[in-house]
Amino acid sequence: MDNKIVCAYCGTIYSADKGKCPLCGSEAQDFEEDLPQRRRRISDSERKKRRHGAKKKGKFEAEKDVPKKLHVAIVVFLSLAVFVLTYFIGDMLGWWPGLEDFMNSDTRIQEELYQDDDPTCTFLNITPEEIEFTEAGQKKVLIAAINSSCEEPVNFSSSNGEIAFVSEGSQASGQGQKSVTVDITALAPGEAFITVTCGKLSMTCTVTCNFKEEEYVPELSQDDLAFSLPNETARLSVTNLPEDASVIWSSADTAVATVDEDGEVTAVGSGTTQITAEVDGKKIAATVTCDFTSTTEGDYHLTHTDVTIAIGESFNLRLIDSNGERVSGGVYSCDKLSVCSVNGVEITGLSAGIAEVTVSYAGKSYTCIVRVG
């Protein structure tokens, strides 16, 4: 092998015969002296030994870190334990507010809001905010809570008093607040809003009546009347008449019996007819029978034999002969003067109940049943 030279500047290998590097022109040097020593290639066994040594070194360094981390964890745990123990000891000795005070801080804040000296309404809440009814006449409670120092009245108003009615309220006081309770009564199907106001504050409760309104059917004080004399009279009335409603009376045969606008029926002639009462398009009838065949000269009868009147209402009770002429000289008496009074021929209802008014004449007695309700 020819003597070779390695250029010290550019690394070009060239023949020693040349004095300079053919590439960069540097002076030639001996190859054996100047050529960098090549790295010796290691065997597989040496490589395994080096890896094992590196692992042992890393494991040793990791093992050295374990006690250090454990020491840090122990110090942190002991610090927390000392802090908790110190806190509870201080709590028992009263050094600072306890856990219970801390947990109840929100409650204290609420109470402080209520416990003020402001006479105006600063707090208003209602329970519940929605009420549902399933039948007419049902009642439920609505409660309004205000601050205890408030001196302003709490007002309840219904948007539709025919659907939901609000009763007068009752007031109660508690810690930090006072409340007003009212009853809400369902009257008819539909929806109404109960507005609760106090000072400048207001809330609304929605009332829903989910039921069907019962169909109204008038009811008469008597289902049938019987007359044995001409001009004999009896009073009919509608016992379940709605407020502000009126009754239209009519007779199917005025030759048998007539009826006036107050429901007084008068016998006219023998036969049977119907007396009808009409209220808001709803009708109900009573059967009237007039039988004068048993009437003979000298027979006497009362103009009324069974009467229903209201408290404070009056009617005239007379004794008449077979010709319908009034008979004077009869003696009137009542078995229950607390139920009705007798003033001449005028009978007046005093209190609810049933009494018998008797007219005595010529050794005979004639009785009229008076129902007051």
Side-chain angles (χ1 to χ4, degrees):
M1 178 177 177
D2 297 337
N3 191 18
K4 299 291 184 182
I5 299 297
V6 177
C7 179
Y9 294 95
C10 65
T12 303
I13 300 175
Y14 58 94
S15 176
D17 297 338
K18 299 179 179 181
K20 295 181 179 181
C21 174
L23 183 62
C24 64
S26 299
E27 294 292 336
Q29 298 181 8
D30 184 70
F31 177 80
E32 295 294 337
E33 293 179 358
D34 298 331
L35 185 65
Q37 186 177 3
R38 295 181 180 178
R39 187 175 63 178
R40 186 174 60 87
R41 184 174 182 178
I42 63 175
S43 63
D44 291 340
S45 60
E46 288 178 328
R47 185 180 294 107
K48 289 180 180 180
K49 286 181 180 181
R50 289 184 182 182
R51 288 179 181 175
H52 180 69
K55 288 182 179 180
K56 288 186 65 178
K57 181 179 179 181
K59 182 178 180 181
F60 176 73
E61 291 178 353
E63 289 176 351
K64 289 199 319 183
D65 289 341
V66 170
K68 182 177 180 181
K69 294 180 180 178
L70 181 61
H71 291 161
V72 172
I74 292 173
V75 170
V76 172
F77 175 78
L78 291 177
S79 300
L80 289 174
V82 170
F83 172 77
V84 172
L85 184 61
T86 304
Y87 180 83
F88 279 101
I89 292 175
D91 181 25
M92 290 186 291
L93 296 178
W95 292 349
W96 43 67
L99 259 185
E100 185 178 355
D101 293 335
F102 176 77
M103 303 260 315
N104 295 333
S105 60
D106 184 62
T107 303
R108 290 199 308 272
I109 291 173
Q110 293 290 337
E111 291 177 354
E112 289 172 0
L113 288 176
Y114 296 143
Q115 295 173 350
D116 53 30
D117 297 327
D118 194 342
T120 62
C121 186
T122 59
F123 170 80
L124 174 64
N125 186 50
I126 62 172
T127 306
E129 294 185 13
E130 293 183 359
I131 296 177
E132 183 174 354
F133 292 104
T134 56
E135 60 182 22
Q138 190 176 8
K139 292 185 178 182
K140 292 190 178 181
V141 171
L142 177 62
I143 302 174
I146 58 175
N147 51 298
S148 59
S149 61
C150 177
E151 297 178 1
E152 297 180 296
V154 180
N155 299 312
F156 297 79
S157 61
S158 175
S159 63
N160 192 331
E162 296 181 355
I163 293 177
F165 174 77
V166 183
S167 66
E168 293 185 4
S170 60
Q171 185 169 304
S173 297
Q175 184 177 5
Q177 65 182 31
K178 55 186 177 182
S179 62
V180 178
T181 302
V182 296
D183 287 331
I184 309 299
T185 305
L187 300 181
E191 186 177 68
F193 302 96
I194 308 301
T195 302
V196 184
T197 59
C198 184
K200 297 181 180 180
L201 302 182
S202 68
M203 293 191 72
T204 300
C205 174
T206 302
V207 177
T208 305
C209 297
N210 288 327
F211 54 85
K212 293 183 178 180
E213 190 171 7
E214 295 183 3
E215 184 178 359
Y216 170 75
V217 177
E219 298 176 0
L220 288 176
S221 56
Q222 298 180 71
D223 295 329
D224 55 74
L225 295 173
F227 297 106
S228 58
L229 286 174
N231 298 319
E232 190 176 355
T233 62
R235 175 71 63 84
L236 286 176
S237 63
V238 177
T239 58
N240 62 341
L241 186 65
E243 187 177 357
D244 299 330
S246 59
V247 183
I248 300 175
W249 297 96
S250 62
S251 172
D253 189 350
T254 56
V256 175
T258 61
V259 61
D260 65 13
E261 61 182 9
D262 295 323
E264 185 166 311
V265 181
T266 302
V268 176
S270 296
T272 302
T273 188
Q274 298 286 321
I275 301 298
T276 301
E278 181 179 347
V279 181
D280 294 334
K282 306 295 182 181
K283 297 180 179 181
I284 190 170
T287 301
V288 176
T289 303
C290 296
D291 184 5
F292 304 151
T293 58
S294 62
T295 302
T296 59
E297 190 70 26
D299 284 344
Y300 301 102
H301 298 272
L302 292 176
T303 54
H304 302 78
T305 56
D306 193 329
V307 179
T308 300
I309 59 176
I311 296 175
E313 187 177 1
S314 301
F315 72 98
N316 291 330
L317 179 62
R318 298 182 184 276
L319 185 66
I320 58 176
D321 60 20
S322 58
N323 297 318
E325 299 294 332
R326 297 174 183 176
V327 177
S328 61
V331 178
Y332 289 74
S333 63
C334 178
D335 67 339
K336 293 181 181 178
L337 292 175
S338 62
V339 174
C340 63
S341 64
V342 177
N343 182 16
V345 298
E346 184 179 52
I347 312 299
T348 303
L350 299 178
S351 63
I354 301 175
E356 291 185 0
V357 176
T358 302
V359 180
S360 301
Y361 181 77
K364 292 185 178 181
S365 297
Y366 308 89
T367 302
C368 174
I369 299 174
V370 179
R371 308 173 190 273
V372 181

